[in-house]
Amino acid sequence: MLSFKYLLSSLVDVYTMIIFVYVLMSWIPNKRGIIADIDNVLAKICDPYLNLFRKFIPPLGGMVDISPIIALLVLQFGLRLILMFL
């Protein structure tokens, strides 16, 4: 059971880092070449999860999207809740 907890925690940590890199890459204005390819791959991985939160949380001031922050908090608290019951 300990190895399952470790595996689950590691997977959530990796996904958290992927979302973090995706958010940081959104600050790059002109993406070309390999950067555009990496951004496309990260978008396919992150957008399905982030879109769940974007439906309910509008951008602040029309420009600042806080849904990744909420999504990461839900992901981390959800992991802690699951690990508490295992």
Side-chain angles (χ1 to χ4, degrees), residues 6 9 11 15 18 25 28 33 36 40 45 48 53-55 57 59 64 74 77 81 84:
Y6 180 74
S9 179
L11 289 174
Y15 194 62
I18 290 172
M25 287 189 67
I28 299 173
N40 289 336
I45 294 170
F53 298 94
R54 288 180 179 142
K55 290 178 188 176
I57 305 168
V64 179
V74 168
F77 285 130
L81 185 67
M84 188 171 60

Side-chain angles (χ1 to χ4, degrees), residues 27-84:
W27 295 349
I28 299 173
N30 297 325
K31 299 177 186 109
R32 295 185 191 132
I34 188 89
I35 301 297
D37 294 338
I38 292 170
D39 187 57
N40 289 336
V41 169
L42 292 177
K44 288 180 182 179
I45 294 170
C46 298
D47 279 342
Y49 179 64
L50 294 176
N51 286 339
L52 296 172
F53 298 94
R54 288 180 179 142
K55 290 178 188 176
F56 302 108
I57 305 168
L60 297 176
M63 295 188 62
V64 179
D65 185 16
I66 63 165
S67 60
I69 297 168
I70 305 300
L72 289 174
L73 288 173
V74 168
L75 187 64
Q76 291 298 318
F77 285 130
L79 173 67
R80 301 301 178 247
L81 185 67
I82 290 170
L83 291 179
M84 188 171 60

